[in-house]
Amino acid sequence: MSSRVKIPEDGEPIVVQGGVWKVPNKPIILYIEGDGIGPEITNVAIKVINKAVEKAYKSSREIKWVKVYAGEEAEKVYGNRFPEETINLISKYRVVLKGPLETPIGGGWRSINVAIRMLLDAYANVRPVKYMPGLESPLKHPERVDMVIIRENTDDLYRGIEWSWDSPEAAKLRKFLKDELKIELEDDTGIGIKPISKYKTQRVARFAIKFAIENKRRSVTIMHKGNIMKYTEGAFREWAYEVALKEFRDYIVTEEEVNKLYGGKVPPGKILVNDRIADNMFQQIITRPENYDVILAPNLNGDYISDAAGALIGDIGVLGGANVGDTGGMFEAVHGTAPKYAGKNVANPTGIIRGGELMLRFMGWREAADLIDKAITEAINQKKVTQDLARFMGVQPLGTKEFGDALIEIIDQF
Ligand code: NAP
């Protein structure tokens, strides 16, 4: 099939159908090293993931990694930052661990991150945010922070339907609103459109509740601004509840039911589904983070709350995330290419390792994922950290590679 990429003969593809992952014992997983610090952190992450898989399953399971090219390296090898061969391989194999990729501001090439997301129809952005002792959190009780934000990825204002105030399109729309709907806007009004569909809301709501069930989470909170935007954000709330009640009745209980029927206590084994207005949530995740577990949000709210939640643990640089759909997913660090640290063996690889941990959870390889989680916590506990954390902890930093080696040693000792 390809000239530059060799597919291992003893590997098999992962098949994701309707959100159900069928994972062979030797799955083929693609990886993209990425730009800037990408190659250093990605290669360390692969070593750590391999170690966790080996420790958990001996030789009965093994990831067959296949390197594919995107970004600067692809430009050198193929003369194209997102070559056809990579597109074809992602379309076929559907599961990707990805280092950060550069996107220029204001001009240049289009975001390859977005292109991969679209290729995989990865409609749910998943970002776990959990405090690890040792991090410099601004909270008094950061150990109470353990949430997963699931953000709708394809709808809302992010569809980019907007026009400048002085464009003919905005003038046309203003005229339409005035003539047809008797709504008069000032002549210098720019216009953006906020579409929120039932189909897109319900598929992400279904995803979030399934995620909560499979990962034994306590609650799913629908975040919305439905008091003001009734037919978009309000509808998001309504449609999400509809999925919860129609499709997951045996697993969930609503807040109303808890108060009316169960004396204010969630019955054991049930997942609480409730909703909160967005502005209220911003203060509540700070004052009462323990009340939030899985947060289901439309695109724009989700974008804001993800970073706010990340800040609660003191460092969004250690977070991993995923973009997942019904047929595959892309796993990565939350941070970018940090160009000033590129090639210096100082970057923290924890973000992409966490991305890999999340990938293992979607694969159902929970034992390996748990080993990674425990090892990162233990490394910080032993003050084995890279410079970004060492500078706050007042300890000697480890290099990127050495931090990876420390994690591998810790996993070996479990
Ligand atoms: P960034 O690459 O995340 O870096 C911002 C700062 O965060 C760094 O200067 C460094 O801070 C710290 N940092 C980030 N990752 C780190 C790590 N692994 N270890 C240690 N420190 C780390 O953000 P940016 O400078 O805004 O973006 C650079 C490029 O990355 C852009 O082209 C952007 O488009 C791209 N990007 C890609 C993705 C993605 O691929 N998903 C995501 C975000 C951004 P200190 O200076 O405090 O040490």
mmCIF file of all heavy atoms in Angstrom, residues 377-404:
data_model
loop_
_atom_site.group_PDB
_atom_site.id
_atom_site.type_symbol
_atom_site.label_atom_id
_atom_site.label_comp_id
_atom_site.label_asym_id
_atom_site.label_seq_id
_atom_site.Cartn_x
_atom_site.Cartn_y
_atom_site.Cartn_z
ATOM 1 N N THR A 377 1.830 9.516 39.483
ATOM 2 C CA THR A 377 1.611 10.015 40.849
ATOM 3 C C THR A 377 2.827 9.702 41.714
ATOM 4 O O THR A 377 3.309 10.550 42.481
ATOM 5 C CB THR A 377 0.349 9.348 41.452
ATOM 6 O OG1 THR A 377 -0.707 9.507 40.516
ATOM 7 C CG2 THR A 377 -0.056 9.968 42.762
ATOM 8 N N GLU A 378 3.338 8.490 41.576
ATOM 9 C CA GLU A 378 4.479 8.074 42.392
ATOM 10 C C GLU A 378 5.741 8.881 42.036
ATOM 11 O O GLU A 378 6.504 9.279 42.918
ATOM 12 C CB GLU A 378 4.719 6.563 42.200
ATOM 13 C CG GLU A 378 5.835 5.967 43.022
ATOM 14 C CD GLU A 378 5.715 6.229 44.532
ATOM 15 O OE1 GLU A 378 4.590 6.410 45.023
ATOM 16 O OE2 GLU A 378 6.780 6.277 45.200
ATOM 17 N N ALA A 379 5.945 9.140 40.758
ATOM 18 C CA ALA A 379 7.134 9.906 40.343
ATOM 19 C C ALA A 379 7.101 11.300 40.966
ATOM 20 O O ALA A 379 8.106 11.787 41.494
ATOM 21 C CB ALA A 379 7.190 9.998 38.817
ATOM 22 N N ILE A 380 5.926 11.931 40.927
ATOM 23 C CA ILE A 380 5.826 13.275 41.514
ATOM 24 C C ILE A 380 6.052 13.187 43.027
ATOM 25 O O ILE A 380 6.758 14.002 43.612
ATOM 26 C CB ILE A 380 4.466 13.931 41.189
ATOM 27 C CG1 ILE A 380 4.343 14.111 39.676
ATOM 28 C CG2 ILE A 380 4.325 15.277 41.886
ATOM 29 C CD1 ILE A 380 3.031 14.711 39.210
ATOM 30 N N ASN A 381 5.500 12.151 43.616
ATOM 31 C CA ASN A 381 5.678 11.911 45.043
ATOM 32 C C ASN A 381 7.165 11.788 45.412
ATOM 33 O O ASN A 381 7.636 12.316 46.420
ATOM 34 C CB ASN A 381 4.915 10.621 45.387
ATOM 35 C CG ASN A 381 4.863 10.364 46.854
ATOM 36 O OD1 ASN A 381 4.867 11.311 47.640
ATOM 37 N ND2 ASN A 381 4.830 9.100 47.241
ATOM 38 N N GLN A 382 7.909 11.104 44.539
ATOM 39 C CA GLN A 382 9.356 10.943 44.783
ATOM 40 C C GLN A 382 10.155 12.159 44.309
ATOM 41 O O GLN A 382 11.373 12.139 44.261
ATOM 42 C CB GLN A 382 9.870 9.699 44.055
ATOM 43 C CG GLN A 382 9.328 8.395 44.586
ATOM 44 C CD GLN A 382 9.877 7.202 43.787
ATOM 45 O OE1 GLN A 382 10.833 7.316 43.002
ATOM 46 N NE2 GLN A 382 9.266 6.039 43.976
ATOM 47 N N LYS A 383 9.437 13.186 43.883
ATOM 48 C CA LYS A 383 10.039 14.419 43.373
ATOM 49 C C LYS A 383 10.919 14.171 42.140
ATOM 50 O O LYS A 383 11.934 14.825 41.925
ATOM 51 C CB LYS A 383 10.809 15.147 44.472
ATOM 52 C CG LYS A 383 9.934 15.515 45.667
ATOM 53 C CD LYS A 383 10.564 16.606 46.465
ATOM 54 C CE LYS A 383 9.767 17.178 47.611
ATOM 55 N NZ LYS A 383 8.443 16.746 47.890
ATOM 56 N N LYS A 384 10.549 13.162 41.377
ATOM 57 C CA LYS A 384 11.216 12.920 40.098
ATOM 58 C C LYS A 384 10.380 13.614 39.039
ATOM 59 O O LYS A 384 9.350 13.093 38.610
ATOM 60 C CB LYS A 384 11.316 11.423 39.830
ATOM 61 C CG LYS A 384 12.287 10.736 40.762
ATOM 62 C CD LYS A 384 12.403 9.271 40.466
ATOM 63 C CE LYS A 384 13.489 8.664 41.344
ATOM 64 N NZ LYS A 384 13.369 7.221 41.464
ATOM 65 N N VAL A 385 10.788 14.816 38.651
ATOM 66 C CA VAL A 385 9.969 15.629 37.752
ATOM 67 C C VAL A 385 10.857 16.395 36.770
ATOM 68 O O VAL A 385 12.060 16.557 36.992
ATOM 69 C CB VAL A 385 9.117 16.654 38.552
ATOM 70 C CG1 VAL A 385 8.034 15.973 39.368
ATOM 71 C CG2 VAL A 385 9.994 17.511 39.457
ATOM 72 N N THR A 386 10.238 16.877 35.699
ATOM 73 C CA THR A 386 10.974 17.711 34.739
ATOM 74 C C THR A 386 10.982 19.168 35.217
ATOM 75 O O THR A 386 10.315 19.516 36.189
ATOM 76 C CB THR A 386 10.317 17.608 33.342
ATOM 77 O OG1 THR A 386 8.901 17.687 33.501
ATOM 78 C CG2 THR A 386 10.686 16.307 32.655
ATOM 79 N N GLN A 387 11.699 20.026 34.486
ATOM 80 C CA GLN A 387 11.962 21.383 34.990
ATOM 81 C C GLN A 387 10.704 22.220 35.260
ATOM 82 O O GLN A 387 10.701 23.043 36.162
ATOM 83 C CB GLN A 387 12.923 22.135 34.059
ATOM 84 C CG GLN A 387 12.509 22.224 32.596
ATOM 85 C CD GLN A 387 11.579 23.374 32.280
ATOM 86 O OE1 GLN A 387 11.553 24.376 32.984
ATOM 87 N NE2 GLN A 387 10.788 23.228 31.213
ATOM 88 N N ASP A 388 9.646 22.001 34.478
ATOM 89 C CA ASP A 388 8.438 22.809 34.669
ATOM 90 C C ASP A 388 7.858 22.648 36.072
ATOM 91 O O ASP A 388 7.300 23.587 36.638
ATOM 92 C CB ASP A 388 7.376 22.447 33.607
ATOM 93 C CG ASP A 388 7.110 20.960 33.528
ATOM 94 O OD1 ASP A 388 8.044 20.163 33.700
ATOM 95 O OD2 ASP A 388 5.946 20.578 33.316
ATOM 96 N N LEU A 389 8.004 21.443 36.640
ATOM 97 C CA LEU A 389 7.524 21.222 38.012
ATOM 98 C C LEU A 389 8.649 21.416 39.020
ATOM 99 O O LEU A 389 8.431 21.940 40.116
ATOM 100 C CB LEU A 389 6.940 19.814 38.161
ATOM 101 C CG LEU A 389 5.758 19.467 37.245
ATOM 102 C CD1 LEU A 389 5.204 18.096 37.581
ATOM 103 C CD2 LEU A 389 4.647 20.506 37.386
ATOM 104 N N ALA A 390 9.859 21.020 38.631
ATOM 105 C CA ALA A 390 11.002 21.107 39.560
ATOM 106 C C ALA A 390 11.207 22.537 40.049
ATOM 107 O O ALA A 390 11.548 22.772 41.202
ATOM 108 C CB ALA A 390 12.266 20.586 38.876
ATOM 109 N N ARG A 391 10.940 23.516 39.154
ATOM 110 C CA ARG A 391 11.191 24.913 39.553
ATOM 111 C C ARG A 391 10.277 25.353 40.695
ATOM 112 O O ARG A 391 10.624 26.222 41.472
ATOM 113 C CB ARG A 391 11.097 25.852 38.351
ATOM 114 C CG ARG A 391 9.754 25.868 37.663
ATOM 115 C CD ARG A 391 9.801 26.631 36.337
ATOM 116 N NE ARG A 391 8.586 26.358 35.583
ATOM 117 C CZ ARG A 391 8.334 26.816 34.369
ATOM 118 N NH1 ARG A 391 9.233 27.553 33.745
ATOM 119 N NH2 ARG A 391 7.210 26.535 33.761
ATOM 120 N N PHE A 392 9.085 24.755 40.781
ATOM 121 C CA PHE A 392 8.189 25.093 41.905
ATOM 122 C C PHE A 392 8.483 24.241 43.140
ATOM 123 O O PHE A 392 8.238 24.642 44.254
ATOM 124 C CB PHE A 392 6.727 24.873 41.520
ATOM 125 C CG PHE A 392 6.280 25.779 40.420
ATOM 126 C CD1 PHE A 392 5.920 25.272 39.178
ATOM 127 C CD2 PHE A 392 6.233 27.158 40.611
ATOM 128 C CE1 PHE A 392 5.523 26.123 38.151
ATOM 129 C CE2 PHE A 392 5.833 28.009 39.597
ATOM 130 C CZ PHE A 392 5.479 27.486 38.358
ATOM 131 N N MET A 393 9.009 23.030 42.879
ATOM 132 C CA MET A 393 9.217 22.118 44.007
ATOM 133 C C MET A 393 10.600 22.300 44.631
ATOM 134 O O MET A 393 10.909 21.693 45.651
ATOM 135 C CB MET A 393 9.047 20.665 43.518
ATOM 136 C CG MET A 393 7.628 20.360 43.067
ATOM 137 S SD MET A 393 7.508 18.861 42.063
ATOM 138 C CE MET A 393 7.205 17.629 43.252
ATOM 139 N N GLY A 394 11.430 23.096 43.964
ATOM 140 C CA GLY A 394 12.773 23.332 44.492
ATOM 141 C C GLY A 394 13.638 22.089 44.469
ATOM 142 O O GLY A 394 14.421 21.844 45.396
ATOM 143 N N VAL A 395 13.486 21.283 43.431
ATOM 144 C CA VAL A 395 14.330 20.075 43.323
ATOM 145 C C VAL A 395 15.064 20.079 41.984
ATOM 146 O O VAL A 395 14.735 20.852 41.088
ATOM 147 C CB VAL A 395 13.479 18.776 43.447
ATOM 148 C CG1 VAL A 395 12.847 18.677 44.814
ATOM 149 C CG2 VAL A 395 12.409 18.699 42.354
ATOM 150 N N GLN A 396 16.069 19.209 41.881
ATOM 151 C CA GLN A 396 16.811 19.087 40.632
ATOM 152 C C GLN A 396 15.926 18.442 39.562
ATOM 153 O O GLN A 396 15.326 17.396 39.823
ATOM 154 C CB GLN A 396 18.026 18.167 40.849
ATOM 155 C CG GLN A 396 19.275 18.871 41.338
ATOM 156 C CD GLN A 396 19.719 19.959 40.369
ATOM 157 O OE1 GLN A 396 19.506 21.145 40.634
ATOM 158 N NE2 GLN A 396 20.327 19.582 39.255
ATOM 159 N N PRO A 397 15.843 19.037 38.382
ATOM 160 C CA PRO A 397 14.959 18.446 37.363
ATOM 161 C C PRO A 397 15.567 17.240 36.654
ATOM 162 O O PRO A 397 16.788 17.129 36.551
ATOM 163 C CB PRO A 397 14.799 19.594 36.358
ATOM 164 C CG PRO A 397 16.032 20.422 36.517
ATOM 165 C CD PRO A 397 16.479 20.293 37.937
ATOM 166 N N LEU A 398 14.697 16.362 36.186
ATOM 167 C CA LEU A 398 15.133 15.298 35.284
ATOM 168 C C LEU A 398 14.901 15.760 33.848
ATOM 169 O O LEU A 398 14.013 16.560 33.592
ATOM 170 C CB LEU A 398 14.323 14.021 35.519
ATOM 171 C CG LEU A 398 14.430 13.324 36.869
ATOM 172 C CD1 LEU A 398 13.594 12.036 36.862
ATOM 173 C CD2 LEU A 398 15.888 12.983 37.174
ATOM 174 N N GLY A 399 15.664 15.201 32.924
ATOM 175 C CA GLY A 399 15.410 15.472 31.507
ATOM 176 C C GLY A 399 14.175 14.699 31.057
ATOM 177 O O GLY A 399 13.677 13.821 31.777
ATOM 178 N N THR A 400 13.713 14.992 29.846
ATOM 179 C CA THR A 400 12.520 14.317 29.299
ATOM 180 C C THR A 400 12.715 12.803 29.302
ATOM 181 O O THR A 400 11.873 12.039 29.789
ATOM 182 C CB THR A 400 12.290 14.782 27.843
ATOM 183 O OG1 THR A 400 12.318 16.200 27.811
ATOM 184 C CG2 THR A 400 10.977 14.273 27.284
ATOM 185 N N LYS A 401 13.861 12.390 28.766
ATOM 186 C CA LYS A 401 14.139 10.961 28.620
ATOM 187 C C LYS A 401 14.304 10.302 29.990
ATOM 188 O O LYS A 401 13.788 9.221 30.247
ATOM 189 C CB LYS A 401 15.452 10.820 27.819
ATOM 190 C CG LYS A 401 15.452 9.665 26.886
ATOM 191 C CD LYS A 401 16.758 9.593 26.130
ATOM 192 C CE LYS A 401 17.327 8.196 26.128
ATOM 193 N NZ LYS A 401 17.624 7.579 27.394
ATOM 194 N N GLU A 402 15.014 11.004 30.866
ATOM 195 C CA GLU A 402 15.280 10.454 32.205
ATOM 196 C C GLU A 402 13.988 10.332 33.016
ATOM 197 O O GLU A 402 13.825 9.398 33.802
ATOM 198 C CB GLU A 402 16.304 11.325 32.953
ATOM 199 C CG GLU A 402 17.722 11.281 32.368
ATOM 200 C CD GLU A 402 17.862 11.931 31.002
ATOM 201 O OE1 GLU A 402 17.098 12.876 30.715
ATOM 202 O OE2 GLU A 402 18.730 11.496 30.210
ATOM 203 N N PHE A 403 13.075 11.285 32.808
ATOM 204 C CA PHE A 403 11.774 11.192 33.492
ATOM 205 C C PHE A 403 11.024 9.949 32.992
ATOM 206 O O PHE A 403 10.436 9.197 33.779
ATOM 207 C CB PHE A 403 10.954 12.468 33.240
ATOM 208 C CG PHE A 403 9.559 12.402 33.810
ATOM 209 C CD1 PHE A 403 9.336 12.411 35.181
ATOM 210 C CD2 PHE A 403 8.455 12.323 32.964
ATOM 211 C CE1 PHE A 403 8.044 12.333 35.703
ATOM 212 C CE2 PHE A 403 7.170 12.254 33.477
ATOM 213 C CZ PHE A 403 6.967 12.259 34.845
ATOM 214 N N GLY A 404 11.097 9.733 31.671
ATOM 215 C CA GLY A 404 10.473 8.525 31.098
ATOM 216 C C GLY A 404 11.091 7.269 31.704
ATOM 217 O O GLY A 404 10.378 6.329 32.091
#
